Amino acid sequence: MLKDFSYFNLKHTINNPLRIFFLCGSFFNTKGGNKLDKRIVLKKHIESLNPNYKCLILEENFLFRQSKSKLNYNDINMKSLKDIELLTSLMSDKVMIFHESVSTAAEIGLFSSDKIINDKMIILAPDSYSIEQDVISGFINLSYNNKVLPDYNIEIIRYYPGTYSYEISNNSNKIHTYFVNNVLGENLKSRLNNSLEISEVCINIEKQNKYNLFNNEISKYYVAGKELNVMLNIKHLVTLLTSLFSADEVKRKLREPISGGVDGSTKIKRKVLFKAISVIKSYFIEYIERAILSNNPTLRFEKIKISLASTNITFSQSVSYFIYVLYGINLIDINTTFKKLTIAVQFEQISEAYVDLIISPTNGGIAEVLNIE
């Protein structure tokens, strides 16, 4: 057992949560100048609206190979881009796709197959006159812009880009789009701002009969044999993981430098992140187990299993990737000189809204329930 006897509040509402926006597109332009990548421009706009709004662009932060500047998916056993994008979408509050290619059409199809993701998607489509074709046509139009059967419709927002031609070969050119002067148009800003309001997060983890588990919107727990099964929807998992960064004991542990003689920035980064993942995973398991026991003192079990509703992604993969996401949205970083994790001041401020999700008993009651000395 960990020294800290705190545990999760299983029923609580977060009024101003961290909000993550997943920005997708077919071509990521790393060059600067007056034609910044559209996702970079959109990211700057969204993050200027609210300090709790954070945008994630996968290409900015992650690769499938070793890099001095970016994290490697393989290090956390994430080898499928499909799984990575699905998990990112599930963890995000909005999924925003600049649709202009076959790749982004495939993303729309992948994400829309999950009703939870489908309901939080926004397709950003260029005006058909700008690029001399309409990307919202055929199957996409009938499936996601259907006036007769609107249940699976996705919000589509048109924008008016500048264009330039990119030469693929002597006989082939491709049109790329950009925001003129690296600024969103007023109409697009207005449409986006109206779409980004996200409601509070309500945590409610209930005890269930194991035969009454059909509703995947509800997070629940039940005992089967000698095993405590905890099944969480992904939003609740993200919220509880975020709340751990409001606990002083957890932050102290995260900030401890790694031990041992590790050289090279890439190896240091990897080891610091592995330690952070291990710390967060251990505290999460302890806190959820104590929380359930505090509500059910007579409950008996020998082991605990935590799983996620509506996905094959494991709890361990989710925790690992959550730490990657925090790194990708600049809420945590790695000090390679001192070989330790750093937590951004802004994350400290954001996590203040999560303080009441952690119950810290002062009378030792929970310790008695758990038979902790």
Side-chain angles (χ1 to χ4, degrees):
M1 288 287 181
L2 302 171
K3 293 180 181 179
D4 183 18
F5 299 151
S6 300
Y7 55 98
F8 289 128
N9 187 344
L10 297 184
K11 190 172 184 178
H12 187 65
T13 298
I14 307 295
N15 292 315
N16 190 26
L18 169 66
R19 291 158 180 174
I20 301 172
F21 300 90
F22 180 25
L23 308 186
C24 306
S26 59
F27 173 76
F28 188 64
N29 180 15
T30 57
K31 298 178 181 179
N34 62 352
K35 295 182 178 66
L36 280 176
D37 188 273
K38 296 186 296 296
R39 281 180 279 173
I40 293 176
V41 178
L42 180 59
K43 175 180 176 179
K44 289 181 178 179
H45 171 71
I46 291 174
E47 294 188 348
S48 72
L49 299 175
N50 187 313
N52 285 26
Y53 287 9
K54 296 295 173 186
C55 296
L56 181 63
I57 302 171
L58 297 184
E59 292 92 328
E60 279 189 317
N61 303 284
F62 313 121
L63 292 170
F64 280 103
R65 56 180 172 79
Q66 295 297 341
S67 167
K68 291 183 178 179
S69 60
K70 298 182 181 182
L71 301 184
N72 184 350
Y73 291 120
N74 293 312
D75 287 341
I76 56 171
N77 200 32
M78 297 291 289
K79 300 182 183 299
S80 165
L81 184 58
K82 173 187 172 183
D83 288 345
I84 289 163
E85 296 223 350
L86 280 174
L87 183 52
T88 309
S89 301
L90 288 167
M91 286 188 171
S92 302
D93 294 280
K94 289 286 185 182
V95 179
M96 310 176 77
I97 302 176
F98 281 100
H99 172 47
E100 297 175 340
S101 70
V102 173
S103 295
T104 51
E107 283 183 311
I108 292 168
L110 174 67
F111 298 151
S112 64
S113 63
D114 187 301
K115 187 68 168 68
I116 295 173
I117 302 174
N118 186 95
D119 290 344
K120 55 187 176 183
M121 285 174 63
I122 297 174
I123 297 175
L124 296 161
D127 168 63
S128 58
Y129 292 103
S130 300
I131 61 170
E132 299 180 5
Q133 65 169 317
D134 192 353
V135 296
I136 307 298
S137 61
F139 179 84
I140 290 178
N141 196 46
L142 289 172
S143 299
Y144 309 124
N145 193 33
N146 194 311
K147 304 297 187 294
V148 179
L149 301 170
D151 286 354
Y152 283 85
N153 280 357
I154 298 170
E155 182 175 9
I156 297 172
I157 300 178
R158 298 281 185 172
Y159 66 97
Y160 301 88
T163 63
Y164 64 97
S165 182
Y166 178 79
E167 185 176 313
I168 298 174
S169 68
N170 290 334
N171 300 315
S172 177
N173 292 293
K174 182 174 177 58
I175 293 177
H176 287 312
T177 60
Y178 65 97
F179 289 124
V180 178
N181 298 322
N182 296 328
V183 175
L184 275 63
E186 292 304 315
N187 182 61
L188 178 56
K189 284 183 183 179
S190 177
R191 288 286 306 275
L192 282 173
N193 293 355
N194 291 333
S195 300
L196 299 184
E197 288 297 326
I198 298 167
S199 62
E200 64 207 4
V201 177
C202 298
I203 294 287
N204 187 16
I205 305 175
E206 303 176 348
K207 185 178 180 181
Q208 297 277 311
N209 184 300
K210 68 177 181 179
Y211 300 109
N212 186 29
L213 304 175
F214 57 89
N215 189 345
N216 287 330
E217 292 295 310
I218 300 173
S219 292
K220 54 248 179 185
Y221 61 91
Y222 62 95
V223 174
K226 297 180 180 180
E227 183 177 73
L228 172 64
N229 288 266
V230 183
M231 186 178 294
L232 302 172
N233 75 44
I234 194 74
K235 189 61 187 175
H236 289 174
L237 174 69
V238 168
T239 303
L240 292 173
L241 288 170
T242 304
S243 75
L244 290 174
F245 286 82
S246 71
D248 290 337
E249 175 76 12
V250 178
K251 289 188 287 187
R252 280 195 295 271
K253 194 73 175 176
L254 286 168
R255 287 174 171 139
E256 291 176 359
I258 57 173
S259 58
V262 181
D263 295 320
S265 61
T266 302
K267 291 182 179 179
I268 291 170
K269 273 187 178 182
R270 188 185 306 133
K271 191 166 183 181
V272 169
L273 284 171
F274 285 176
K275 179 196 166 224
I277 290 165
S278 177
V279 167
I280 291 297
K281 184 178 176 182
S282 295
Y283 274 102
F284 189 96
I285 294 170
E286 293 283 350
Y287 277 27
I288 198 75
E289 181 178 343
R290 290 194 191 116
I292 291 170
L293 283 171
S294 72
N295 284 275
N296 306 269
T298 61
L299 208 60
R300 295 291 179 265
F301 53 89
E302 294 181 1
K303 58 182 179 178
I304 182 171
K305 177 184 177 182
I306 301 173
S307 58
L308 302 181
S310 303
T311 178
N312 294 324
I313 305 296
T314 67
F315 169 67
S316 292
Q317 286 177 315
S318 300
V319 174
S320 299
Y321 192 62
F322 174 74
I323 297 299
Y324 267 41
V325 169
L326 292 181
Y327 179 87
I329 58 179
N330 300 314
L331 292 183
I332 62 172
D333 202 353
I334 300 160
N335 186 318
T336 54
T337 302
F338 294 99
K339 301 180 181 180
K340 66 177 186 177
L341 189 84
T342 61
I343 301 172
V345 172
Q346 194 173 52
F347 196 17
E348 297 268 18
Q349 296 167 344
I350 291 171
S351 64
E352 288 176 6
Y354 293 76
V355 169
D356 291 336
L357 256 177
I358 305 291
I359 298 174
S360 301
T362 57
N363 60 5
I366 189 67
E368 294 174 11
V369 170
L370 294 172
N371 194 27
I372 301 172
E373 297 181 358

